[in-house]
Amino acid sequence: MTERTSRCCCGQLSVTVSGEPTINGICSCSDCKKRTGSAFGWQTHFADSGVIVVGESQQYTLDNGQVRNFCHRCGSTLFWSSPSFPEMTRLAAGNFDSDELPLPKLSVQDHDRVSWIELPEDWVFHT
Ligand SMILES: [Zn+2]
Ligand SMILES: [Zn+2]
């Protein structure tokens, strides 16, 4: 089974996942923009049973129940959980090292996508 590892900027926190993501897409909601400080968040979902966390994280809980885990030293957000996706770990896809993920083909909160990002027509779009 394929294994991939995601690491924070300083390297003390890592998450290894096995298998393929059940969801792999970008999100343009304001929470994802603030989490990344970028135009959108790219995230993957993996079953909790295939997720191994090494290192120390701190947690932040949003009003919607999402629990974000970030490195206590460098601040990178690596993974989170939310009540709407039980038994799934959601990971910030940009933190995976050289282990290439499948291409994302999903854009959620697409109506909030910044105007200068164009996406291929064969993606799935959720407003
Ligand atoms: Zn770190
Ligand atoms: Zn979002």
Side-chain angles (χ1 to χ4, degrees):
M1 195 177 290
T2 305
E3 285 199 346
R4 298 178 174 95
T5 299
S6 156
R7 285 179 215 288
C8 66
C9 284
C10 77
Q12 76 82 20
L13 179 62
S14 68
V15 185
T16 298
V17 296
S18 54
E20 295 302 319
T22 57
I23 294 178
N24 178 15
I26 71 168
C27 180
S28 297
C29 81
S30 64
D31 277 343
C32 287
K33 288 173 179 168
K34 290 183 187 301
R35 174 176 58 76
T36 60
S38 190
F40 58 83
W42 175 23
Q43 56 199 278
T44 54
H45 295 200
F46 287 86
D48 286 348
S49 56
V51 172
I52 299 167
V53 177
V54 176
E56 248 184 87
S57 67
Q58 287 203 324
Q59 293 190 329
Y60 173 71
T61 303
L62 281 73
D63 290 342
N64 64 12
Q66 188 181 103
V67 180
R68 289 190 182 156
N69 294 269
F70 56 95
C71 173
H72 71 98
R73 192 159 68 187
C74 72
S76 298
T77 298
L78 258 64
F79 62 101
W80 58 98
S81 61
S82 63
S84 50
F85 293 95
E87 298 177 27
M88 301 300 294
T89 299
R90 306 167 77 183
L91 293 103
N95 293 319
F96 285 93
D97 293 332
S98 57
D99 315 303
E100 198 171 308
L101 288 161
L103 292 177
K105 290 203 167 191
L106 169 69
S107 175
V108 300
Q109 288 292 118
D110 193 66
H111 62 278
D112 288 330
R113 176 163 35 109
V114 295
S115 61
W116 47 267
I117 292 180
E118 292 181 20
L119 297 171
E121 285 178 11
D122 66 340
W123 280 39
V124 174
F125 298 93
H126 292 183
T127 55

